[in-house]
Amino acid sequence: MSSKDIKFIRITHLKGPNIWTYRPVLEAWIDIGDLEDCPSNVLPGFNERLQEMLPGLIEHRCSVGERGGFLQRLVEGTWPGHIMEHVALELQNRAGMQTGFGKAREAGPRGIYKVVIRTRNETVSRVAIQAARDLVMAAIENRPYPVKEVIANLTQMVDRLCIGPSTACIVDAAADRNIPAIRLNDGNLVQLGYGANQRRIWTAETDQTSAIAEGVSKDKDLTKSLLANCGVPVPEGRNVSSPAEAWEAAQEIGLPVCVKPVDGNHARGVSLELRTQSEIEAAYHLAEAEGSEVLVERHILGDEHRLLVVGGKVVAANKGEVASIVGDGIHTVEELIESQINSDPRRGEEEDFPLDTVRLKDHTTAVLELKRQGLTGQSVPEKDRHVLVMRTGNMAMDVTDLVHPDVAELAALAARIVGLDIAGVDLVAQDISKPMKAQGAAIVEVNAGPGLLMHLKPASGSPRPVGQAIAAHLFDENSEPRIPVVGIIGQENTTGTSHLIAWLLHLQGLQTGLSSAKGLFLGQRCLQAQSGMEWESAQRLLINRSVQAAVFETTARHLLAEGLPYDRCQVGVITSMPKAAGLEDLYIQSDEQMPNVVRTQMDVVLSQGMAVLNAEDDEVANLAQYCDGEVTYFASSEDHPRIVQHRSENGRVVFWRKNHLVLAQGPQEIEALNRHLPAIDKLLKNQHLNCTEVLAACASAWALGIQTDLIRAGIKSFGQSPGAH
Amino acid sequence: MEVSRIRALRGPNLWSRQTSIEAIVSCEPQERAMIPGNEFEKQLRRIFPAVGPLEGTRPGEPASMAHALEKITLSLQNQAGCQVTFSRTTATEEEGIYQVVVQYTEEAVGRLALSWAEKLCQAVQLQSTFDLNQALSELRDLDEDVRLGPSTGSIVDAAVLKGIPYRRLTEGSMVQFGWGSKQRRIQAAETDTTSAIAESIAQDKDLTKSLLLAAGVPVPIGRPAKDLEDAWQIAQNIGLPVVVKPQDGNQGKGVTVNIVDRDLFNQAYETAARYGEVLVEKFLPGSDYRLLVVGNKLVAAARREPPLVVGDGTHTVKELVDKVNADPRRGDGHSTSLTKIKFDNIAIGRLKLQDLEPNSVPEKGRRVILRNNANLSTGGTATDVTDDVHAEVAARVVAAAQMVGVDICGVDVVCESVLKPLEEQNGGVVEVNAAPGLRMHISPSFGKGRNVGKAVIDHMFPNGDNGRIPIIAVTGTNGKTTTVRLTAHLLKANHLRVGMTNTDGVYVNGRQIDDGDCSGPRSARNVLMHPDVDAAVFETARGGLLREGLAFDRCQVAIVTNMGSGDHLGLNYITTLEDLSVLKRVIVLNVAPDGMAVLNAADPQVAMMANMCPGNVTFFALDPHQPVLATHRAQGKRVVYTENGNIVAQQGKKSFRIPLSDVPLTRQGQIGFQTENVLAAVAAAWAVNVPWENIAQGLSTFISDIQGVPGRFNVFDYKGATLIADYGHNPDAIQALVHAVDNMPAQKRVVVISGAGDRRDQDIRDQTQILGTAFDEVILYQDACQRGRSDGEVIQLLREGLAGAARTTHVQDIQGEFNAIDTALARLSAGDLCLILIDQVEAALAYIQGKVNETQLTLSK
């Protein structure tokens, strides 16, 4: 039966490094049926329709490697799977989820393809790939397709489901330093680093951000008194509980004053530069409506600034932008706000825009500001009259390079007094490039969990690498975000090897996690007896804050269906080349395909890491080329040509010489083990371990820096000490 | 009787180490010496029988009404449950005026007690009624309101036992421990290292559960539900019985456990949904346990039971509840070990589920549960089981705490028994609570109380640290400011960030953070709160000491430079030199047991303070043979003196020498009073273990110019004449200055002086009397602040002092400080010397510097 349709056979989320790339991807298996006979160049008008729907495709370089490359492929003729890949990526990018990597490959049988797209969120990519299929079909069949609505929907999904831009900038900065990240919830809680060496962030909070300090920062009164005690200039003021008392306080402090809620966040309920009793009383009610006590303070002259303090240093500073309009004698204030303020392309409703849209109904302070000037939203200001609309809330101008050292020092001190490692310090100053005291400047607030976006996308000035600063605060040059990770794959001998390596790491004094065919283990304890190699289970080891080293046994099936549970490993072990048999459902038909699957285990070895390869398996040994780190070969005899060759090149080799297991590098060698020792003899005879497993494990232990005598003792005691598994 | 001035002495003070209320009380003649033998006492005892014995200032002396006020204030606080013991009443030299001092534990309570005591005295006098119960209950309520709650209180108590100083930062439960760079903070059972992220994680039960699962901690499986149907589906998948609860809840609100059928499930869902997203979980059989983890240790465990009554077959539920609530251990709030069972709608609703009503009579032995949760605050009970916890259980619970990342937390475990591993009994961790209540562990309803406060403090201050930074307190009549600045400089040479207060301001690590006279406790407290202070040097003036007491409970070093014949005598009931030395020795009395008093051996009033010092003593004096110093040296104790042009610090056979020529401040040792200040500062630096090379280096780099020590022997060159500006304002200071300038060669000697109005007449006259022997010309001016004296009065006194002067030949009075300076400068020629005793330090120094600069400009032209 003839069918010109694209059908999904299966969609798989590969959560970790996989045969396609290091990063998570969505792998869709499709059946294009008789469209196999319809490459793009034979579908009349198809290419034009597609470009019209997604003009951005011109940017796709594709295999041609230059702008317009993909369009060139369309003209030459390419098949729907490949087109879907590019359409899905374009949809994702348009929705704000930046992804570049994609692949489309024939799976074997006619019309069956594997289409792969990089994903930062599984749910979004599933919708994107479905939409890509529908869009391509619509273009083929010359039907209309609601591109705009689909992108809008995807955009909403991205906003809701992906980590926010502030968190993303930290995660990206960490990634640049090769620090892995694991998202821990549906929100912005992210773990950087692995196991015991991990740190956590939640937007601009770190695991070192003190809860008490956050409490202090929310209590403006307490913050101010703590700062004042330490000589940090603050606006003097006092709490009041009635409009009358507010006026009384204002007179005592000296006009002008500002009135604000004690416990408020952001600029809500804040009124500035008040001089009259009626203004102050009105402002009191506005502040009171925010639900906490009300504070009357001396109004500090100057502009608002936000200084971002990270780990004791000011890393970015922005200046507040005053929003104002100029009357024309014709339009109302509201209309002028639209035409003169909201028309600014930097303003928008979403978090991504550097500036907020001004809507009088949302900005009660703006209403009050206007009222003080005798205006409402409906007033028509006379021609050329300057009307101030808002003076808080938009800290959009980068002034980092102007900050005077005295100002920076006091801002950092303020954060330290409150006790915050990351803080947004709000200060009012007439000139940020001059010392504070002389100009009557003051620190007005210290905020926990400050927004980073204003520094990443300032409306003017340069963006600041605040993500890098936070990553550097969490991990200084000397700290190691990773824990030793060992990955093992092979047709056989992998379980015993992984258990023996875990045992040796345990004896080394490290709390060691192990994911193997026998289950999931933590130290001496079995956490679960089944499915220990499944991605979700295995990843638990890396989330665990007590785990100091982790060993992962993997199979080709797990690699193909889920990806690896870690991004990189210290030691990658391949004991033998797995067979294709049993993987037919994954479109693996022959053993020849296997090296290409298994090479992922080599791809993920860190540059300072080690590959441990079976020299006696040519296919395995050939994968050495994909390893960024060093290579250790093992073999049952020191005479194997590959062992001889590698040793001559000063590489590490491990082999059996009669009854001795030898670790050798160049001319140096250590006899690590004698198989005639009763304990080892028993171990091998009882088939707890075999000779290959001992070789692979010893080579790995050596790579992990475990001393020979501990290796020897560890192998002797393997499976014999109480509680060992 | 009238109570005129009330002060709170918030630190060690003239009277005692206790925080106390001090009141000035005036008594009518008939109110003095009236007890015993007066109707007053009889009446008083009738109304307030618990008042202690009424005695005069010394046993056997008759007591005044002020004495009665004192004892009533003390007894009222005692009766209200405050642990106070110290009180004292002293007659001043003014007839009928008394100083009444009564210890307090809470300032507000102390003040209220005093005001009630005054009312009681009046009621007795007027024979009107007085409601003692009202007074006591107000005091009790206020005390409960303002004092620290039991959780925070237990931590603070543990800190105090360990010698860690503390200070409340808010009226709530936020407390600072330690000082300066060593400070830490807590808020109830949270510390400043309790992570905000970890707290958010703990709040999210689902996230917590998934993390605990990752850590291999047994948890009840389940997940949040989208709606009722989804919830029921989850329940079916997990298998009944289940628990239904709000995702983000606290204190057990909206939780229903052991749900076995659809009807109850629907109700439970509705209840939980009121608090937000609903979580459905496997119900774990067994009891509720709360395990407290501090740091990486399990420190306490309690089994918790919901509020319940047991039927007796005769009483109704309501009656049974009343009976249980009659237990005196059950209070209304958090302060007692048990709380009354609340008999409200929630309780009645819970009864309904057991087919009971408030008036039902449950059969004998039937346990009737009044609430779904086991919180103490709603009437539950806690039984200590700390010693029962199996090591495997403890390990899981600690793993849970570490996984979430909270350093102090209460882990809720449900299991049949903590005696065996959770894995063996289907037990699990159901919740991790940040900022856990400690009451159930400190005073459990049953079983042994645990010192969890100590565990928290040991966690925050490991290895015996007590959060203290060295405090060096400096007092005396003259030389305080120079000694403070020099001592601070020597500490700085030891790479410490120094906080310093003196009469010119507050300085932290070189930055001035406050100005004006900052020699009081408020400024000192600010320094102790500053996060960048590793050591503190405080000028401790009399004013603040009288007003508020010390800012610290004890100091590492107390320096008393000298007493001389005193200064400011006659103010605030400090009339004699003895009074003054009793006041100034307060810092010596409060030296730490391992601390050091640095005392001037040559000043008898100062030397006598040695006997009062709980720590060690270093004596200093210029003269190595000064008897007090020589004796001390012979005893093998620390002394600092000068000998053959060297400063010598000696203890037994060990000694260290620094040539005076390497100490610019002393001008080769010529300026005696500066040399004494140096000896004191050296002794202090030695006491806090500043290495000798750093002391020597510090001494060589300390310059007494207007930047280094403004107003303290600042020397200028003016057209070849020597100008010396100094703030000296009492006879001793002027005597010392005269000695110092005597050593400086000069032709004509001119002095400019004013008199401060707040000194006694004799003290003002004495100043010019001394000057008259040493100066050829004296320029008098009237200073800015006459402090209550009439115009010209001070000038007159100064002139009187010059009558019959041995050396002075020219006296002139001038209006205004700057005019006086101008006049003096005009009279100088090269080779002359002029001592200017300045008043407005900063302004006058700036003026003089300006004049000096002018001449140099002229020269350079």
Side-chain angles (χ1 to χ4, degrees), chain A residues 303-316:
Chain A
D303 297 316
E304 297 220 347
H305 294 79
R306 162 60 69 87
L307 274 62
L308 180 68
V309 177
V310 175
K313 279 198 242 32
V314 171
V315 299

Side-chain angles (χ1 to χ4, degrees), chain B residues 342-586:
Chain B
K342 286 204 178 71
F343 202 77
D344 52 9
N345 284 338
I346 301 175
I348 292 167
R350 191 71 188 83
L351 286 180
K352 227 177 256 167
L353 296 173
Q354 300 162 83
D355 293 321
L356 292 170
E357 288 183 0
N359 291 325
S360 317
V361 176
E363 58 271 35
K364 198 165 174 7
R366 177 169 175 190
R367 286 159 61 95
V368 178
I369 311 278
L370 279 310
R371 238 177 181 78
N372 281 337
N373 66 70
N375 290 321
L376 283 188
S377 56
T378 49
T381 60
T383 305
D384 177 75
V385 295
T386 308
D387 295 332
D388 296 347
V389 180
H390 191 278
E392 287 282 307
V393 177
R396 289 313 159 267
V397 163
V398 169
Q402 293 195 325
M403 193 63 196
V404 172
V406 272
D407 56 346
I408 298 180
C409 64
V411 180
D412 288 341
V413 169
V414 177
C415 62
E416 278 154 12
S417 162
V418 289
L419 286 161
K420 49 184 183 177
L422 297 175
E423 291 82 354
E424 285 177 19
Q425 48 173 334
N426 276 324
V429 170
V430 292
E431 222 171 287
V432 174
N433 302 276
L438 305 180
R439 181 166 61 133
M440 73 185 89
H441 308 298
I442 298 161
S443 45
S445 323
F446 310 101
K448 191 169 147 189
R450 302 286 163 171
N451 193 351
V452 294
K454 182 175 184 300
V456 172
I457 286 297
D458 289 345
H459 163 62
M460 295 180 77
F461 293 93
N463 311 322
D465 186 17
N466 61 11
R468 288 175 186 268
I469 58 170
I471 288 180
I472 298 173
V474 182
T475 195
T477 298
N478 290 309
K480 294 190 289 287
T481 302
T482 303
T483 306
V484 163
R485 284 187 178 262
L486 178 55
T487 306
H489 185 77
L490 298 183
L491 295 178
K492 197 178 130 208
N494 196 26
H495 312 295
L496 295 172
R497 294 171 297 171
V498 184
M500 164 173 84
T501 65
N502 58 36
T503 43
D504 306 330
V506 179
Y507 301 79
V508 170
N509 203 15
R511 176 190 276 270
Q512 183 169 16
I513 67 167
D514 199 356
D515 50 21
D517 183 350
C518 295
S519 58
R522 193 180 57 85
S523 303
R525 271 198 299 267
N526 287 346
V527 166
L528 294 177
M529 287 192 63
H530 198 293
D532 298 344
V533 173
D534 301 324
V537 187
F538 297 137
E539 180 167 342
T540 308
R542 41 175 283 145
L545 198 47
L546 283 170
R547 214 164 44 239
E548 250 195 290
L550 294 176
F552 42 85
D553 59 343
R554 55 185 201 243
C555 53
Q556 193 61 28
V557 181
I559 304 177
V560 185
T561 57
N562 49 59
M563 294 295 301
S565 50
D567 195 358
H568 294 98
L569 291 178
L571 293 178
N572 290 313
Y573 308 109
I574 300 294
T575 349
T576 65
L577 187 56
E578 285 69 34
D579 290 343
L580 187 63
S581 98
V582 167
L583 178 64
K584 298 226 163 183
R585 78 182 186 206
V586 169

Side-chain angles (χ1 to χ4, degrees), chain A residues 4-200:
Chain A
K4 290 190 174 178
D5 194 8
I6 305 172
K7 292 198 184 86
F8 285 104
I9 300 171
R10 156 176 167 162
I11 300 176
T12 310
H13 181 216
L14 301 179
K15 305 173 186 83
N18 51 70
I19 60 166
W20 310 103
T21 178
Y22 288 109
R23 304 284 178 195
V25 296
L26 202 66
E27 185 186 281
W29 297 359
I30 55 168
D31 182 348
I32 64 171
D34 291 338
L35 286 174
E36 185 66 23
D37 302 325
C38 308
S40 54
N41 57 338
V42 306
L43 294 166
F46 170 80
N47 291 351
E48 292 70 26
R49 290 194 290 274
L50 190 65
Q51 278 180 67
E52 196 180 316
M53 286 190 218
L54 292 172
L57 287 174
I58 191 166
E59 302 297 334
H60 292 222
R61 304 164 77 88
C62 198
S63 51
V64 180
E66 59 186 39
R67 189 168 182 266
F70 175 63
L71 297 185
Q72 219 173 304
R73 295 286 309 274
L74 280 178
V75 172
E76 291 161 5
T78 187
W79 278 261
H82 181 216
I83 301 168
M84 258 177 72
E85 169 213 329
H86 280 275
V87 168
L89 291 175
E90 178 63 14
L91 289 174
Q92 292 191 155
N93 288 346
R94 291 278 301 278
M97 187 168 87
Q98 294 306 318
T99 48
F101 176 86
K103 277 260 186 319
R105 288 282 178 274
E106 285 174 85
R110 177 187 145 89
I112 309 288
Y113 286 80
K114 289 182 180 182
V115 177
V116 176
I117 54 168
R118 164 87 170 96
T119 177
R120 290 173 188 272
N121 180 279
E122 181 185 350
T123 315
V124 173
S125 292
R126 281 182 186 271
V127 173
I129 197 113
Q130 293 279 358
R133 180 249 166 223
D134 296 346
L135 188 147
V136 171
M137 283 313 297
I140 290 173
E141 293 167 0
N142 196 5
R143 285 183 284 111
Y145 186 77
V147 180
K148 225 176 158 180
E149 288 82 347
V150 167
I151 289 173
N153 174 45
L154 278 170
T155 307
Q156 272 185 11
M157 287 181 72
V158 169
D159 286 348
R160 200 173 66 242
L161 298 171
C162 293
I163 56 171
S166 291
T167 310
C169 86
I170 305 169
V171 172
D172 290 347
D176 288 345
R177 287 181 50 192
N178 196 16
I179 298 168
I182 299 175
R183 193 176 178 188
L184 294 176
N185 68 355
D186 296 336
N188 290 313
L189 177 61
V190 177
Q191 159 186 341
L192 299 175
Y194 282 154
N197 290 352
Q198 71 180 276
R199 303 292 311 273
R200 289 176 184 158

Side-chain angles (χ1 to χ4, degrees), chain B residues 79-377:
Chain B
Q79 295 300 310
C82 303
Q83 309 242 329
V84 288
T85 51
F86 173 82
S87 70
R88 187 166 169 188
T89 298
T90 324
T92 68
E93 83 269 24
E94 273 178 68
E95 192 65 27
I97 306 284
Y98 300 85
Q99 285 172 295
V100 173
V101 182
V102 185
Q103 187 192 352
Y104 66 75
T105 51
E106 291 297 335
E107 182 179 330
V109 178
R111 286 178 186 271
L112 184 63
L114 180 69
S115 97
W116 275 113
E118 196 185 347
K119 282 183 206 144
L120 177 52
C121 286
Q122 281 163 0
V124 171
Q125 267 184 318
L126 302 171
Q127 305 199 332
S128 57
T129 57
F130 182 85
D131 189 345
L132 182 69
N133 285 334
Q134 166 74 17
L136 289 177
S137 87
E138 264 187 39
L139 286 167
R140 239 179 246 125
D141 289 350
L142 181 64
D143 185 50
E144 180 154 341
D145 200 33
V146 296
R147 74 162 187 241
L148 289 167
S151 293
T152 316
S154 75
I155 301 168
V156 169
D157 290 346
V160 170
L161 268 180
K162 216 173 162 181
I164 298 167
Y166 79 98
R167 178 171 171 201
R168 287 176 76 170
L169 294 180
T170 61
E171 286 166 13
S173 52
M174 194 182 292
V175 177
Q176 172 184 319
F177 293 118
W179 293 324
S181 57
K182 289 198 171 177
Q183 67 183 280
R184 301 290 311 272
R185 289 178 192 158
I186 61 161
Q187 179 153 32
E190 277 175 293
T191 77
D192 48 13
T193 51
T194 305
S195 149
I197 289 186
E199 288 200 355
S200 305
I201 292 171
Q203 282 284 310
D204 183 338
K205 292 189 185 115
D206 201 35
L207 176 58
T208 300
K209 226 162 57 178
S210 77
L211 290 177
L212 296 194
L213 192 69
V217 176
V219 291
I221 48 169
R223 64 170 172 87
K226 291 188 208 66
D227 53 35
L228 178 60
E229 276 320 302
D230 184 40
W232 181 243
Q233 193 54 50
I234 297 167
Q236 294 294 95
N237 291 346
I238 297 170
L240 296 172
V242 293
V243 181
V244 170
K245 53 176 155 185
Q247 169 94 328
D248 303 306
N250 59 37
Q251 297 214 320
K253 282 181 191 135
V255 180
T256 310
V257 300
N258 199 7
I259 301 167
V260 288
D261 61 52
R262 183 68 202 250
D263 282 350
L264 184 54
F265 186 86
N266 291 354
Q267 278 179 36
Y269 183 89
E270 206 176 294
T271 313
R274 267 182 248 144
Y275 299 92
E277 206 181 353
V278 177
L279 193 61
V280 182
E281 272 177 1
K282 177 89 187 153
F283 175 69
L284 306 177
S287 309
D288 289 336
Y289 291 89
R290 165 59 71 84
L291 282 73
L292 182 73
V293 177
V294 175
N296 54 4
K297 287 194 202 74
L298 176 79
V299 300
R303 185 177 63 243
R304 306 200 293 167
E305 277 201 289
L308 59 84
V309 291
V310 181
D312 60 3
T314 49
H315 292 93
T316 65
V317 175
K318 179 81 182 72
E319 286 163 349
L320 290 167
V321 169
D322 288 342
K323 225 162 107 187
V324 169
N325 281 346
D327 185 337
R329 289 180 304 164
R330 289 199 186 252
D332 291 315
H334 285 266
S335 57
T336 44
S337 66
L338 288 164
T339 304
K340 288 194 164 71
I341 298 175
K342 286 204 178 71
F343 202 77
D344 52 9
N345 284 338
I346 301 175
I348 292 167
R350 191 71 188 83
L351 286 180
K352 227 177 256 167
L353 296 173
Q354 300 162 83
D355 293 321
L356 292 170
E357 288 183 0
N359 291 325
S360 317
V361 176
E363 58 271 35
K364 198 165 174 7
R366 177 169 175 190
R367 286 159 61 95
V368 178
I369 311 278
L370 279 310
R371 238 177 181 78
N372 281 337
N373 66 70
N375 290 321
L376 283 188
S377 56

